[in-house]
């Protein structure tokens, strides 16, 4: 049988007779596609490794430091005005309730929050007047929040300010409690006396006591302060620093040249007065702990007269 006059036909016939040969035909294409897919994944490997999963811990190095807050005393909460119906207070109460109370008392105040299930006794159902212990008057709720209820999961909320406790009381009474009973004037004055609130704007003598806020300083400053072991010393160093920076003299020039960490250097020098009246001790102090005491190795280039100038200058300052 001749295959030369019709090569195409014989090729197809050949394939029909040996179907396995088709593999040889498509093999190069499979290879090319495979290499293509491989190259594609290789080019993406850096993305696969790159933060596709968000970190479980917050990177604290990028968290901003605490703002400076000056110590202050807030005026005592005035029970007479804060017990009057007040929409702003109710709105504030709602915010505090949502963050602190919903888990047990529920968003609808029915005592059915997610954490309520296992509790004995159950969180109070605010929508019923039954079986309250301190009661749903403002004075009752304030007492509950200040003292908690013994033998239950209802603990005292010391961190909530008096004003915010009154806001919570207003919110709970207005939103959940049906026909909440009113406080008498005596209820309110007794409450004010007991918890040192003010009555009718007049801070009633020794009884009214504002809430003191001790203030706060940024952590980095606090750490410097702790190193100083007293605020007085720290203030002195700051004063000296100011003086040096406004001083054009050669003593200040030398200081700026040989110091890397000004606060550290001044702290070291002010931590002892051994070097007062003794220039040699002064030089030794600085040179011995070089690098750790805030000074740098440029001190090695100071001439004797530079040292004299520097020593006299620092003696005058510290
Ligand atoms: C961990 C759960 C829990 C949280 C959170 C909680 N409570 Fe309670 N609360 C209770 C329980 C339990 C009772 C019932 C105590 C009882 O019956 O002895 C209760 C009772 C009360 C009562 C009724 C007191 C009375 O006179 O009987 C008030 C009012 C109250 N809570 C307010 C609040 C407020 C406001 C908050 C948020 C600042 C809050 N609770 C957060 C569990 C909780």
């Amino acid at each position: 049988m001749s295959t030369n006059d019709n090569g195409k036909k014989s090729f197809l016939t050949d394939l029909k007779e040996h179907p396995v040969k088709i593999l040889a035909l498509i093999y190069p294409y499979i290879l090319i596609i495979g290499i293509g897919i491989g190259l594609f994944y290789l080019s993406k490997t850096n993305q696969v490794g790159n933060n596709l999963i968000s970190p479980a811990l917050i990177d604290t190095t990028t968290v901003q430091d605490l703002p400076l807050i000056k110590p202050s005393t807030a005026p005592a909460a005035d029970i007479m005005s804060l017990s009057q119906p007040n929409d702003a207070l109710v709105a504030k109460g709602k915010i505090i309730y949502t963050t602190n109370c919903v888990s047990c008392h529920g968003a609808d105040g029915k005592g059915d929050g997610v954490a309520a299930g296992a509790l004995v006794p159950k969180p109070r159902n605010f929508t019923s007047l039954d079986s309250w212990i301190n009661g749903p008057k403002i004075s009752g709720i304030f007492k509950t929040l200040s003292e908690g209820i013994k033998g239950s999961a209802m603990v005292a909320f010391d961190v909530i300010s008096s004003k915010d406790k009154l806001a919570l009381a207003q919110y709970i009474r207005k939103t959940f409690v049906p026909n909440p009973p009113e406080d008498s004037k005596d209820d309110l004055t007794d409450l004010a006396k007991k918890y040192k609130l003010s009555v009718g704007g007049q801070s009633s003598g020794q009884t009214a006591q504002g809430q003191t806020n001790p203030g706060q300083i940024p952590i980095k400053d606090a750490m410097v302060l702790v190193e100083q072991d007293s605020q007085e010393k720290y203030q002195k160093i700051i004063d000296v620093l100011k003086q040096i920076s406004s001083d054009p003299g050669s003593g200040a020039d030398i200081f700026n040249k040989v110091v890397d960490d000004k606060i550290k250097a001044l702290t070291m020098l002010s931590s002892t007065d051994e070097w007062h009246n003794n220039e040699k001790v002064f030089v030794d102090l600085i040179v011995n702990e070089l690098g750790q005491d805030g000074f740098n190795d440029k001190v090695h280039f100071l001439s004797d007269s530079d040292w004299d100038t520097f020593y006299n200058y620092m003696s005058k300052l510290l």
Side-chain angles (χ1 to χ4, degrees), residues 65-69 216-229 231 234 238 263:
D65 207 344
L66 303 171
L68 178 70
I69 298 175
Q216 143 190 312
I217 62 171
I219 292 170
K220 64 176 173 27
D221 293 354
M223 279 158 52
V224 174
L225 275 180
V226 167
E227 272 175 32
Q228 306 317 316
D229 72 31
Q231 198 160 356
Y234 181 64
I238 296 295
I263 290 194

Side-chain angles (χ1 to χ4, degrees), residues 90-113 123-126 145 160 164 167-169 171-172 175-176:
V90 170
K92 190 165 183 212
K94 178 173 186 178
I95 295 170
I96 306 168
Y97 183 85
T98 307
T99 39
N100 294 283
C101 324
V102 162
S103 56
C104 289
H105 290 281
D108 300 325
K110 293 198 173 131
D112 56 358
R124 184 72 60 245
N125 173 2
F126 297 140
L145 288 171
I160 297 181
D164 288 351
L168 275 168
Y171 172 69
I172 289 173
T175 319
F176 307 126

Side-chain angles (χ1 to χ4, degrees), residues 240-310:
V240 169
L241 261 181
K242 274 190 205 147
Q243 223 169 311
I244 294 175
S245 64
S246 61
D247 193 342
S250 52
D253 278 351
I254 297 175
F255 176 84
N256 287 323
K257 199 166 66 185
V258 300
V259 159
D260 281 343
D261 184 331
K262 293 179 181 170
I263 290 194
K264 228 185 207 178
L266 290 174
T267 305
M268 190 277 284
L269 287 178
S270 64
S271 66
T272 168
D273 46 16
E274 269 176 80
W275 57 273
H276 291 268
N277 310 317
N278 189 335
E279 186 176 333
K280 179 160 185 332
V281 176
F282 176 75
V283 175
D284 284 348
L285 261 181
I286 292 175
V287 174
N288 286 346
E289 300 281 331
L290 214 56
Q292 287 156 52
D293 60 6
F295 290 88
N296 63 39
D297 55 13
K298 294 203 182 90
V299 292
H300 295 311
F301 302 105
L302 296 181
S303 68
D304 284 354
S305 85
D306 285 342
W307 273 113
D308 290 347
T309 313
F310 187 33

Side-chain angles (χ1 to χ4, degrees), residues 23-309:
L23 283 179
L25 269 179
I26 59 175
Y27 178 72
Y29 299 102
I30 291 176
L31 194 65
I32 288 167
I33 291 171
I35 290 173
I37 292 174
L39 286 176
F40 176 76
Y41 275 100
L42 274 181
S43 71
K44 298 281 179 194
T45 44
N46 58 339
Q47 285 179 25
V48 172
N50 266 353
N51 295 337
L52 288 182
I53 300 167
S54 48
L57 291 175
I58 298 166
D59 177 4
T60 49
T61 56
T62 61
V63 171
Q64 293 202 333
D65 207 344
L66 303 171
L68 178 70
I69 298 175
K70 287 197 179 146
S72 62
T73 303
D78 173 21
I79 185 68
M80 289 311 165
S81 66
L82 294 175
S83 58
Q84 297 304 310
N86 175 331
D87 288 346
L89 220 50
V90 170
K92 190 165 183 212
K94 178 173 186 178
I95 295 170
I96 306 168
Y97 183 85
T98 307
T99 39
N100 294 283
C101 324
V102 162
S103 56
C104 289
H105 290 281
D108 300 325
K110 293 198 173 131
D112 56 358
V114 288
L119 295 181
V120 181
K122 288 252 168 293
R124 184 72 60 245
N125 173 2
F126 297 140
T127 64
S128 150
L129 289 175
D130 289 346
S131 59
W132 287 61
I133 294 168
N134 294 320
K137 287 182 183 176
I138 287 178
S139 50
I141 296 178
F142 194 101
K143 178 170 188 225
T144 298
L145 288 171
S146 303
E147 299 175 9
I149 293 188
K150 281 219 175 71
S152 84
M154 183 65 211
V155 294
F157 281 79
D158 297 328
V159 290
I160 297 181
S161 72
S162 300
K163 191 174 173 190
D164 288 351
K165 285 176 190 165
L166 293 169
L168 275 168
Q170 287 227 10
Y171 172 69
I172 289 173
R173 287 162 53 82
K174 174 150 190 200
T175 319
F176 307 126
V177 184
N179 302 317
E182 293 297 332
D183 290 78
S184 68
K185 193 155 186 229
D186 281 351
D187 288 336
L188 295 179
T189 38
D190 287 352
L191 187 76
K193 237 184 239 155
K194 188 161 175 200
Y195 297 102
K196 302 185 165 42
L197 310 171
S198 88
V199 180
Q202 314 149 337
S203 65
S204 46
Q206 314 98 316
T207 55
Q209 205 177 65
Q211 289 230 326
T212 48
N213 168 0
Q216 143 190 312
I217 62 171
I219 292 170
K220 64 176 173 27
D221 293 354
M223 279 158 52
V224 174
L225 275 180
V226 167
E227 272 175 32
Q228 306 317 316
D229 72 31
S230 85
Q231 198 160 356
E232 212 177 305
K233 258 190 197 164
Y234 181 64
Q235 191 53 49
K236 184 172 180 198
I237 286 171
I238 296 295
D239 290 345
V240 169
L241 261 181
K242 274 190 205 147
Q243 223 169 311
I244 294 175
S245 64
S246 61
D247 193 342
S250 52
D253 278 351
I254 297 175
F255 176 84
N256 287 323
K257 199 166 66 185
V258 300
V259 159
D260 281 343
D261 184 331
K262 293 179 181 170
I263 290 194
K264 228 185 207 178
L266 290 174
T267 305
M268 190 277 284
L269 287 178
S270 64
S271 66
T272 168
D273 46 16
E274 269 176 80
W275 57 273
H276 291 268
N277 310 317
N278 189 335
E279 186 176 333
K280 179 160 185 332
V281 176
F282 176 75
V283 175
D284 284 348
L285 261 181
I286 292 175
V287 174
N288 286 346
E289 300 281 331
L290 214 56
Q292 287 156 52
D293 60 6
F295 290 88
N296 63 39
D297 55 13
K298 294 203 182 90
V299 292
H300 295 311
F301 302 105
L302 296 181
S303 68
D304 284 354
S305 85
D306 285 342
W307 273 113
D308 290 347
T309 313

